[in-house]
Amino acid sequence: MRLKNEQYEEIKRVVIDTFLGYEIKSVPISAFEMAVKMGIRVVPYSALNNEQKKASLKFSLDGYSMENKAHEWTIYYNDSCESYGRINQTIMHEIGHYALGHIKEGEEEEAEAKFFAKYALAPPPLVHNICQDVNVESIMGIFDLSYQAAEYAYRYYNNWLRFGELDYTDYELCLLELFKVA
């Protein structure tokens, strides 16, 4: 699903505001660290009993998040995934739901959370200023992403370049300053 340009811009701002608010300022960006700083509990499927694990796998092969009656958030994730990058992406996606204030599930909310995770884990301004030779492998190595996520990040980076990377937005300048690459 394609979101409106204004939505993408707002999500980028939320990512940067979240980084600022929780002092996330080093690469690779750890969704685990971010969740802990945000007060979100992170639980691997392997910590669940067999019945809970079966139900979780049936609900999502990757992971999901829930808010309990006390308004505490928990992210459940499949820790038997093939790579840390995939797990980190899943947790960041769920953080996206939380940070964006999603209270219902739907196609638009999923698209927003997916974009949140993509932007948060490899923001184009950081890719541009940290990677010496920008390619899928360098993004994968520096940002600790799965190959598929690095491919998406590389494509997004190239689109970002094409549409004006020299005109940094205020939030991109803030991001560069936060990560000390300005």
Side-chain angles (χ1 to χ4, degrees), residues 1-15 100 102 107-113 115-116 119 156 171:
M1 166 180 210
R2 175 100 173 103
L3 301 170
K4 295 176 186 165
N5 288 341
E6 299 81 35
Q7 287 173 283
Y8 288 118
E9 290 305 305
E10 180 58 28
I11 293 166
K12 292 176 198 177
R13 288 182 186 282
V14 171
V15 168
L100 295 168
H102 291 162
E107 191 177 341
E108 185 172 357
E109 289 79 11
E110 279 305 301
E112 288 178 349
F115 181 77
F116 180 98
Y119 191 83
Y156 183 61
Y171 59 81

Side-chain angles (χ1 to χ4, degrees), residues 27 125-126 129-130 168 172 175-182:
V27 172
L126 292 184
N129 286 277
I130 293 174
Y168 286 120
E172 288 173 331
L175 174 73
L176 293 172
E177 186 177 311
L178 180 65
F179 281 78
K180 307 238 184 291
V181 293

